Every structure is written in C-alpha cells, then in structure tokens.
Amino acid sequence: MVNDKDAFDSFQEKFFSFHLDTITKEAERLLDSGCSPQDFLRACQQCMEEVGKKFEAGDYYLPELVMAGEIFKQVSSMIRPLLKFGDGQRNMGTIVVGTPKGDIHALGKDIFCILAEAAGFTVHNLGEDVPPDGFIDKVKTTGATILGMSALITTAYPYMAQVIELLKENGLREGVKVIIGGGATSKDLAEKIGADAQTWDGYEGIRIIQSFAGA
Ligand code: B12
C-alpha cells in the first residue's frame, strides 16, 4: 500500500506535464497499489480546479483546458469501476440527469451518474447541451422522480430555470425532486430557480438523492 498523500502529490505534479502516457501509467500504478479511488478522484478534481484557475488567470489557454479534460476523462474511466456507494443492489428509483442547453461540460455530470448507478439508481444520462424539452420528455417517458442538472457555465442558468417552469406547466413538479450541481451552481441559484437541492460534490449529491428516495 502506498502513502496516499505523497502518491497523490506526485501524481498531481505529473498531471501538469499533460503527458497522457506518463499520467495514465502513474494512475495505473496508484490504483494497483490499493489507493482509495474516492480520494484519487478528488485529487484529480483538484487538478481540474487548478487548471480552471490558471485558465482564468491567463496562464493557460483553451488547448490546456481541452488536454486536461481529455486526461481527466481517461483517468476517471480507470477509477470508475472501483467506485462504490452503498451496496448498489437495491432499486432506489429513477433519475434523469443532463447538462442544460448552453453548456457542454460533461465530466462532473458523468461522475455523478456513475455514483448514482453504483448507489442503485436507474440513471438516464441525457448528455450535454440538452434543451429544456429534452428533460421533460425523458421524465415523462421514464416516470423519473428525481431530475439532476449539471452546470459549469453561467449561460446555462436560464435554461435550468426553464426546465423547472416546464415541470410545473406539465403538472410534474409535485412528483419530481430537482437537484443541481457543478461549479457554476450555488445554493442561491437553487433557491432562485426553485430547485430542491444543490451541491458541488458528487458524493454529497448521492446522499441527497438517497434522502429524496427515503433511504
Ligand atoms: C475541462 C474543462 C473544459 C472542457 C470540458 C470537457 C468535458 N468533456 O467536460 C472543455 C475544453 C470542453 C471546456 C470548454 C469550455 N470551458 Co471549461 N472548464 C473545464 C475545467 C478546467 C474543468 C471542469 C471539470 O471537468 N472538472 C472536474 C469535474 C469532476 O468536477 P465538477 O464538474 O465540478 O463535478 C463534480 C461536482 O461539481 C458534482 N457535479 C457535477 N455535476 C453535477 C450534477 C448533479 C446533478 C450533481 C448532484 C452533482 C454534480 O459532481 C462532480 C464530482 O464531485 C473547468 C474549471 C473548473 N474549476 O471547473 C473549466 C470551466 C468550467 N470552463 C470555463 C469556460 C469559460 C469554458 C469555455 C467557455 C471556454 C471557451 N472560451 O470556449 C468552454 C465552454 C463552452 C460551453 N458552451 O460549454 C469556465 C466557466 C466560467 C463560468 N462559470 O461561466 C471554467 C470555470 C474555467 C474558468 N475558471 O474560467 N472546459
């Protein structure tokens, strides 16, 4: 067993080389050594936060954002099979999740979907840049009682609000709990648009939807 803290520090250093081969080899070594997949995922998420800060500061440009996204995708696909939440055996209910129109960020939403599946939910992942009608149609056809929206960019706000308005117009709001997540969301936003919950953490998101499901 490796010392997770040192190993993650060294992994994070390697991450910023953006050398995919070196990074995935290191990830493989870490996972083989029995590190905590949850903590490893968090360490990767910290790298993405750092990339975001550097982008905002003008030290990184779009190519770095794209490379970081690709690296995170590869490494998280190695971590995913090891993520567990609860026994995953019980059927906890159905959830529809998507990134609303105006936003193409996928990675955090996909992680939340994987965790929800591991926790025993039936998950319908609609993908990214989803128009408001897309959410409503899927809720109708699946009978989902939970709807999740992920937003990393502020242009998605009006569409998130529209989804909740459409739920009301279609007489679905009473039977559907709405949770929002991702860096561009906040408790204030949730209150403003009338969502039931908000989080920046996928694991907390699972605890919230478990409570929605009465677990
Ligand atoms: C990678 C990345 C990209 C990649 C995305 C690749 C992909 N396939 O997803 C690419 C290169 C495509 C991209 C594009 C752009 N990006 Co970008 N991107 C990022 C970056 C660096 C990391 C995002 C990420 O994947 N994080 C890792 C995941 C795991 O974390 P997470 O999303 O927060 O998810 C966790 C939780 O939030 C939660 N969660 C997430 N969703 C949900 C949903 C529910 C229901 C629940 C319960 C929980 C939950 O669970 C996850 C696990 O814990 C961020 C920086 C940052 N700090 O976030 C910028 C960032 C989001 N991008 C930004 C920008 C500006 C852009 C572009 C406009 C750049 C451009 N000029 O073109 C475009 C957007 C185009 C569009 N219309 O959407 C800004 C957004 C500013 C804002 N708030 O409006 C950021 C914040 C960078 C910055 N600091 O300026 N980006």
Side-chain angles (χ1 to χ4, degrees), residues 99-122:
T99 303
K101 193 166 154 65
D103 192 338
I104 59 164
H105 293 89
L107 305 169
K109 162 186 63 68
D110 290 345
I111 299 256
F112 172 69
C113 288
I114 295 292
L115 292 175
E117 251 164 24
F121 288 85
T122 301

Side-chain angles (χ1 to χ4, degrees), residues 123-140:
V123 180
H124 297 273
N125 183 346
L126 300 179
E128 303 77 49
D129 200 20
V130 181
D133 280 352
F135 285 94
I136 306 302
D137 291 348
K138 202 67 181 179
V139 166
K140 279 185 183 162

Side-chain angles (χ1 to χ4, degrees), residues 41-42 44-57 62-70 72-73 95-99 101-113 115 128-129 147-155 157 179-185 197-206 208-209:
L41 190 62
R42 284 204 181 94
C44 294
Q45 215 172 322
Q46 284 168 2
C47 292
M48 299 303 265
E49 277 157 25
E50 196 53 39
V51 170
K53 282 186 196 147
K54 287 185 193 241
F55 177 73
E56 223 166 342
L62 204 52
E64 281 90 353
L65 226 57
V66 174
M67 279 190 289
E70 211 35 60
F72 185 91
K73 199 165 148 189
I95 173 166
V96 165
V97 187
T99 303
K101 193 166 154 65
D103 192 338
I104 59 164
H105 293 89
L107 305 169
K109 162 186 63 68
D110 290 345
I111 299 256
F112 172 69
C113 288
L115 292 175
E128 303 77 49
D129 200 20
L147 188 154
M149 289 185 276
S150 173
L152 271 83
I153 189 159
T154 46
T155 47
Y157 289 177
I179 180 168
I180 60 173
T185 65
Q198 180 275 338
T199 178
W200 290 311
D201 179 82
Y203 283 92
E204 193 195 352
I206 300 304
I208 295 169
I209 62 170

Side-chain angles (χ1 to χ4, degrees), residues 20 22 48 75 82 91 114 127 148 163 184 186-187 197:
L20 184 62
T22 314
M48 299 303 265
V75 175
L82 305 167
N91 183 2
I114 295 292
V163 170
S186 63
K187 304 276 183 233

Side-chain angles (χ1 to χ4, degrees), residues 60-96:
Y60 280 174
Y61 297 95
L62 204 52
E64 281 90 353
L65 226 57
V66 174
M67 279 190 289
E70 211 35 60
I71 290 165
F72 185 91
K73 199 165 148 189
Q74 296 266 351
V75 175
S76 61
S77 73
M78 297 164 74
I79 303 174
R80 275 174 189 184
L82 305 167
L83 290 174
K84 292 214 166 52
F85 206 106
D87 58 16
Q89 298 301 311
R90 274 197 300 155
N91 183 2
M92 297 289 293
T94 301
I95 173 166
V96 165

Side-chain angles (χ1 to χ4, degrees), residues 151-205:
L152 271 83
I153 189 159
T154 46
T155 47
Y157 289 177
Y159 300 107
M160 297 173 105
Q162 230 172 302
V163 170
I164 297 179
E165 280 312 306
L166 280 175
L167 280 177
K168 288 183 195 158
E169 281 172 27
N170 284 269
L172 297 164
R173 184 67 183 96
E174 288 291 296
V176 179
K177 291 278 192 191
V178 178
I179 180 168
I180 60 173
T185 65
S186 63
K187 304 276 183 233
D188 277 355
L189 176 70
E191 202 176 316
K192 206 165 154 198
I193 65 174
D196 298 294
Q198 180 275 338
T199 178
W200 290 311
D201 179 82
Y203 283 92
E204 193 195 352

